[in-house]
Amino acid sequence: MLIAAITVSNQVNAAPSLTHMVQNELGEQVSLNEFEGKVVYVDFWSSWCGPCRKSFPWMNQMHAKYQHQGLAVVAINLDVELSLAQQFLQDFPAEFAVRYDPDSEVARLFALKGMPSSFIFNRQGELVQQHTGFNLDKLEQYEQELVELLQPK
């Protein structure tokens, strides 16, 4: 059996995880581990993505409603030019964490199949759900997935 690994920031990770490094708004490298212990909704987006315009208000709503129960919403932008992301954020402000992956290194490791793509991690940092696209008809399902993970065990 042959196993391939990709090295990113001195870590061997070739799958969706919270160990990957992305950039913050200052261009500094930060780990998604900063959200350790929370239910983490990771959303990959770009300024050109039409469905992303619909997902941002919903993510703001989920963040406001559940952050005190331990939800972290993290939107990772894939635009090469930061100015495109900044313009999008002026039109669709984010009240949650925004990170950047301008070289799409992390996006490749997550093996995105479309835009937006979302990945939900439980409090133990395990990937438990993923979605490609953003379907307004599934908002109740998306929220229920988060609510179930936020329940105290």
Side-chain angles (χ1 to χ4, degrees), residues 131-150:
H131 300 284
T132 302
F134 186 75
N135 187 332
L136 292 174
D137 295 334
K138 295 185 177 180
L139 296 184
E140 194 172 303
Q141 172 194 329
Y142 299 156
E143 184 172 359
Q144 189 57 41
E145 291 170 358
L146 298 175
V147 168
E148 287 175 16
L149 291 170
L150 290 166

PDB file of all heavy atoms in Angstrom, residues 131-150:
ATOM      1  N   HIS A 131     -20.083  19.964   3.232  1.00  0.00           N
ATOM      2  CA  HIS A 131     -21.072  20.324   2.222  1.00  0.00           C
ATOM      3  C   HIS A 131     -20.384  21.065   1.089  1.00  0.00           C
ATOM      4  O   HIS A 131     -19.489  21.877   1.332  1.00  0.00           O
ATOM      5  CB  HIS A 131     -22.145  21.245   2.807  1.00  0.00           C
ATOM      6  CG  HIS A 131     -22.905  20.642   3.941  1.00  0.00           C
ATOM      7  ND1 HIS A 131     -23.880  19.696   3.760  1.00  0.00           N
ATOM      8  CD2 HIS A 131     -22.814  20.833   5.281  1.00  0.00           C
ATOM      9  CE1 HIS A 131     -24.367  19.344   4.936  1.00  0.00           C
ATOM     10  NE2 HIS A 131     -23.729  20.013   5.881  1.00  0.00           N
ATOM     11  N   THR A 132     -20.823  20.806  -0.118  1.00  0.00           N
ATOM     12  CA  THR A 132     -20.361  21.559  -1.278  1.00  0.00           C
ATOM     13  C   THR A 132     -21.517  22.421  -1.738  1.00  0.00           C
ATOM     14  O   THR A 132     -22.640  21.940  -1.897  1.00  0.00           O
ATOM     15  CB  THR A 132     -19.926  20.614  -2.410  1.00  0.00           C
ATOM     16  OG1 THR A 132     -18.892  19.759  -1.921  1.00  0.00           O
ATOM     17  CG2 THR A 132     -19.410  21.394  -3.607  1.00  0.00           C
ATOM     18  N   GLY A 133     -21.261  23.708  -1.918  1.00  0.00           N
ATOM     19  CA  GLY A 133     -22.305  24.641  -2.301  1.00  0.00           C
ATOM     20  C   GLY A 133     -23.050  25.124  -1.073  1.00  0.00           C
ATOM     21  O   GLY A 133     -22.734  24.752   0.053  1.00  0.00           O
ATOM     22  N   PHE A 134     -24.013  25.974  -1.313  1.00  0.00           N
ATOM     23  CA  PHE A 134     -24.847  26.499  -0.225  1.00  0.00           C
ATOM     24  C   PHE A 134     -26.277  26.526  -0.734  1.00  0.00           C
ATOM     25  O   PHE A 134     -26.613  27.274  -1.643  1.00  0.00           O
ATOM     26  CB  PHE A 134     -24.391  27.898   0.195  1.00  0.00           C
ATOM     27  CG  PHE A 134     -25.112  28.419   1.389  1.00  0.00           C
ATOM     28  CD1 PHE A 134     -24.824  27.933   2.650  1.00  0.00           C
ATOM     29  CD2 PHE A 134     -26.091  29.391   1.260  1.00  0.00           C
ATOM     30  CE1 PHE A 134     -25.494  28.407   3.770  1.00  0.00           C
ATOM     31  CE2 PHE A 134     -26.768  29.871   2.373  1.00  0.00           C
ATOM     32  CZ  PHE A 134     -26.470  29.376   3.633  1.00  0.00           C
ATOM     33  N   ASN A 135     -27.102  25.676  -0.160  1.00  0.00           N
ATOM     34  CA  ASN A 135     -28.462  25.477  -0.624  1.00  0.00           C
ATOM     35  C   ASN A 135     -29.444  26.087   0.379  1.00  0.00           C
ATOM     36  O   ASN A 135     -29.545  25.625   1.512  1.00  0.00           O
ATOM     37  CB  ASN A 135     -28.725  23.977  -0.795  1.00  0.00           C
ATOM     38  CG  ASN A 135     -30.042  23.671  -1.431  1.00  0.00           C
ATOM     39  OD1 ASN A 135     -30.996  24.438  -1.319  1.00  0.00           O
ATOM     40  ND2 ASN A 135     -30.104  22.540  -2.107  1.00  0.00           N
ATOM     41  N   LEU A 136     -30.170  27.109  -0.046  1.00  0.00           N
ATOM     42  CA  LEU A 136     -31.113  27.785   0.849  1.00  0.00           C
ATOM     43  C   LEU A 136     -32.201  26.846   1.360  1.00  0.00           C
ATOM     44  O   LEU A 136     -32.759  27.064   2.424  1.00  0.00           O
ATOM     45  CB  LEU A 136     -31.740  28.989   0.146  1.00  0.00           C
ATOM     46  CG  LEU A 136     -30.786  30.148  -0.153  1.00  0.00           C
ATOM     47  CD1 LEU A 136     -31.488  31.220  -0.983  1.00  0.00           C
ATOM     48  CD2 LEU A 136     -30.227  30.744   1.122  1.00  0.00           C
ATOM     49  N   ASP A 137     -32.487  25.794   0.606  1.00  0.00           N
ATOM     50  CA  ASP A 137     -33.497  24.824   1.035  1.00  0.00           C
ATOM     51  C   ASP A 137     -33.002  23.919   2.165  1.00  0.00           C
ATOM     52  O   ASP A 137     -33.786  23.176   2.744  1.00  0.00           O
ATOM     53  CB  ASP A 137     -33.929  23.934  -0.146  1.00  0.00           C
ATOM     54  CG  ASP A 137     -34.645  24.738  -1.221  1.00  0.00           C
ATOM     55  OD1 ASP A 137     -35.245  25.788  -0.906  1.00  0.00           O
ATOM     56  OD2 ASP A 137     -34.601  24.312  -2.390  1.00  0.00           O
ATOM     57  N   LYS A 138     -31.709  23.969   2.470  1.00  0.00           N
ATOM     58  CA  LYS A 138     -31.136  23.088   3.497  1.00  0.00           C
ATOM     59  C   LYS A 138     -30.681  23.838   4.752  1.00  0.00           C
ATOM     60  O   LYS A 138     -29.979  23.273   5.585  1.00  0.00           O
ATOM     61  CB  LYS A 138     -29.948  22.313   2.912  1.00  0.00           C
ATOM     62  CG  LYS A 138     -30.354  21.349   1.811  1.00  0.00           C
ATOM     63  CD  LYS A 138     -29.167  20.534   1.350  1.00  0.00           C
ATOM     64  CE  LYS A 138     -29.591  19.515   0.307  1.00  0.00           C
ATOM     65  NZ  LYS A 138     -28.463  18.714  -0.153  1.00  0.00           N
ATOM     66  N   LEU A 139     -31.099  25.081   4.903  1.00  0.00           N
ATOM     67  CA  LEU A 139     -30.643  25.875   6.049  1.00  0.00           C
ATOM     68  C   LEU A 139     -31.006  25.228   7.378  1.00  0.00           C
ATOM     69  O   LEU A 139     -30.203  25.222   8.310  1.00  0.00           O
ATOM     70  CB  LEU A 139     -31.213  27.291   5.988  1.00  0.00           C
ATOM     71  CG  LEU A 139     -30.761  28.144   4.809  1.00  0.00           C
ATOM     72  CD1 LEU A 139     -31.315  29.552   4.930  1.00  0.00           C
ATOM     73  CD2 LEU A 139     -29.255  28.158   4.679  1.00  0.00           C
ATOM     74  N   GLU A 140     -32.193  24.659   7.466  1.00  0.00           N
ATOM     75  CA  GLU A 140     -32.619  24.006   8.700  1.00  0.00           C
ATOM     76  C   GLU A 140     -31.723  22.797   9.004  1.00  0.00           C
ATOM     77  O   GLU A 140     -31.321  22.578  10.146  1.00  0.00           O
ATOM     78  CB  GLU A 140     -34.078  23.565   8.576  1.00  0.00           C
ATOM     79  CG  GLU A 140     -34.709  23.182   9.890  1.00  0.00           C
ATOM     80  CD  GLU A 140     -36.203  22.935   9.740  1.00  0.00           C
ATOM     81  OE1 GLU A 140     -36.918  23.834   9.274  1.00  0.00           O
ATOM     82  OE2 GLU A 140     -36.630  21.817  10.110  1.00  0.00           O
ATOM     83  N   GLN A 141     -31.393  22.034   7.967  1.00  0.00           N
ATOM     84  CA  GLN A 141     -30.505  20.875   8.131  1.00  0.00           C
ATOM     85  C   GLN A 141     -29.122  21.329   8.588  1.00  0.00           C
ATOM     86  O   GLN A 141     -28.547  20.751   9.510  1.00  0.00           O
ATOM     87  CB  GLN A 141     -30.385  20.111   6.810  1.00  0.00           C
ATOM     88  CG  GLN A 141     -29.334  19.011   6.848  1.00  0.00           C
ATOM     89  CD  GLN A 141     -28.977  18.495   5.450  1.00  0.00           C
ATOM     90  OE1 GLN A 141     -29.816  18.495   4.552  1.00  0.00           O
ATOM     91  NE2 GLN A 141     -27.742  18.076   5.280  1.00  0.00           N
ATOM     92  N   TYR A 142     -28.571  22.363   7.944  1.00  0.00           N
ATOM     93  CA  TYR A 142     -27.253  22.871   8.314  1.00  0.00           C
ATOM     94  C   TYR A 142     -27.233  23.293   9.790  1.00  0.00           C
ATOM     95  O   TYR A 142     -26.318  22.956  10.532  1.00  0.00           O
ATOM     96  CB  TYR A 142     -26.858  24.086   7.469  1.00  0.00           C
ATOM     97  CG  TYR A 142     -26.746  23.859   5.981  1.00  0.00           C
ATOM     98  CD1 TYR A 142     -26.893  24.938   5.108  1.00  0.00           C
ATOM     99  CD2 TYR A 142     -26.484  22.616   5.421  1.00  0.00           C
ATOM    100  CE1 TYR A 142     -26.777  24.786   3.729  1.00  0.00           C
ATOM    101  CE2 TYR A 142     -26.381  22.450   4.045  1.00  0.00           C
ATOM    102  CZ  TYR A 142     -26.529  23.536   3.211  1.00  0.00           C
ATOM    103  OH  TYR A 142     -26.420  23.394   1.851  1.00  0.00           O
ATOM    104  N   GLU A 143     -28.259  24.034  10.195  1.00  0.00           N
ATOM    105  CA  GLU A 143     -28.312  24.505  11.576  1.00  0.00           C
ATOM    106  C   GLU A 143     -28.458  23.333  12.546  1.00  0.00           C
ATOM    107  O   GLU A 143     -27.807  23.306  13.596  1.00  0.00           O
ATOM    108  CB  GLU A 143     -29.465  25.492  11.773  1.00  0.00           C
ATOM    109  CG  GLU A 143     -29.492  26.079  13.160  1.00  0.00           C
ATOM    110  CD  GLU A 143     -30.501  27.202  13.324  1.00  0.00           C
ATOM    111  OE1 GLU A 143     -31.189  27.570  12.346  1.00  0.00           O
ATOM    112  OE2 GLU A 143     -30.605  27.726  14.447  1.00  0.00           O
ATOM    113  N   GLN A 144     -29.266  22.354  12.199  1.00  0.00           N
ATOM    114  CA  GLN A 144     -29.478  21.200  13.078  1.00  0.00           C
ATOM    115  C   GLN A 144     -28.173  20.426  13.296  1.00  0.00           C
ATOM    116  O   GLN A 144     -27.912  19.947  14.394  1.00  0.00           O
ATOM    117  CB  GLN A 144     -30.566  20.277  12.510  1.00  0.00           C
ATOM    118  CG  GLN A 144     -30.987  19.187  13.474  1.00  0.00           C
ATOM    119  CD  GLN A 144     -31.481  19.730  14.814  1.00  0.00           C
ATOM    120  OE1 GLN A 144     -32.200  20.712  14.877  1.00  0.00           O
ATOM    121  NE2 GLN A 144     -31.088  19.086  15.892  1.00  0.00           N
ATOM    122  N   GLU A 145     -27.355  20.325  12.254  1.00  0.00           N
ATOM    123  CA  GLU A 145     -26.050  19.657  12.391  1.00  0.00           C
ATOM    124  C   GLU A 145     -25.207  20.368  13.445  1.00  0.00           C
ATOM    125  O   GLU A 145     -24.539  19.718  14.265  1.00  0.00           O
ATOM    126  CB  GLU A 145     -25.325  19.641  11.047  1.00  0.00           C
ATOM    127  CG  GLU A 145     -25.977  18.732  10.025  1.00  0.00           C
ATOM    128  CD  GLU A 145     -25.416  18.896   8.625  1.00  0.00           C
ATOM    129  OE1 GLU A 145     -24.536  19.752   8.405  1.00  0.00           O
ATOM    130  OE2 GLU A 145     -25.880  18.153   7.736  1.00  0.00           O
ATOM    131  N   LEU A 146     -25.241  21.687  13.437  1.00  0.00           N
ATOM    132  CA  LEU A 146     -24.476  22.463  14.423  1.00  0.00           C
ATOM    133  C   LEU A 146     -25.052  22.307  15.820  1.00  0.00           C
ATOM    134  O   LEU A 146     -24.315  22.069  16.783  1.00  0.00           O
ATOM    135  CB  LEU A 146     -24.456  23.943  14.034  1.00  0.00           C
ATOM    136  CG  LEU A 146     -23.790  24.284  12.697  1.00  0.00           C
ATOM    137  CD1 LEU A 146     -23.962  25.762  12.382  1.00  0.00           C
ATOM    138  CD2 LEU A 146     -22.330  23.874  12.690  1.00  0.00           C
ATOM    139  N   VAL A 147     -26.363  22.403  15.931  1.00  0.00           N
ATOM    140  CA  VAL A 147     -27.034  22.292  17.235  1.00  0.00           C
ATOM    141  C   VAL A 147     -26.716  20.960  17.898  1.00  0.00           C
ATOM    142  O   VAL A 147     -26.419  20.905  19.095  1.00  0.00           O
ATOM    143  CB  VAL A 147     -28.562  22.500  17.073  1.00  0.00           C
ATOM    144  CG1 VAL A 147     -29.304  22.111  18.336  1.00  0.00           C
ATOM    145  CG2 VAL A 147     -28.859  23.947  16.698  1.00  0.00           C
ATOM    146  N   GLU A 148     -26.750  19.895  17.128  1.00  0.00           N
ATOM    147  CA  GLU A 148     -26.464  18.563  17.696  1.00  0.00           C
ATOM    148  C   GLU A 148     -25.049  18.496  18.249  1.00  0.00           C
ATOM    149  O   GLU A 148     -24.817  17.911  19.311  1.00  0.00           O
ATOM    150  CB  GLU A 148     -26.673  17.475  16.628  1.00  0.00           C
ATOM    151  CG  GLU A 148     -28.147  17.227  16.318  1.00  0.00           C
ATOM    152  CD  GLU A 148     -28.366  16.248  15.192  1.00  0.00           C
ATOM    153  OE1 GLU A 148     -27.417  15.517  14.818  1.00  0.00           O
ATOM    154  OE2 GLU A 148     -29.492  16.204  14.676  1.00  0.00           O
ATOM    155  N   LEU A 149     -24.100  19.085  17.555  1.00  0.00           N
ATOM    156  CA  LEU A 149     -22.713  19.053  18.018  1.00  0.00           C
ATOM    157  C   LEU A 149     -22.478  19.962  19.220  1.00  0.00           C
ATOM    158  O   LEU A 149     -21.554  19.737  20.003  1.00  0.00           O
ATOM    159  CB  LEU A 149     -21.775  19.452  16.876  1.00  0.00           C
ATOM    160  CG  LEU A 149     -21.679  18.452  15.737  1.00  0.00           C
ATOM    161  CD1 LEU A 149     -20.932  19.066  14.560  1.00  0.00           C
ATOM    162  CD2 LEU A 149     -20.993  17.176  16.202  1.00  0.00           C
ATOM    163  N   LEU A 150     -23.295  20.984  19.353  1.00  0.00           N
ATOM    164  CA  LEU A 150     -23.143  21.927  20.469  1.00  0.00           C
ATOM    165  C   LEU A 150     -23.765  21.427  21.759  1.00  0.00           C
ATOM    166  O   LEU A 150     -23.481  21.982  22.830  1.00  0.00           O
ATOM    167  CB  LEU A 150     -23.760  23.278  20.089  1.00  0.00           C
ATOM    168  CG  LEU A 150     -22.998  24.057  19.012  1.00  0.00           C
ATOM    169  CD1 LEU A 150     -23.848  25.193  18.474  1.00  0.00           C
ATOM    170  CD2 LEU A 150     -21.669  24.560  19.543  1.00  0.00           C
TER     171      LEU A 150
END
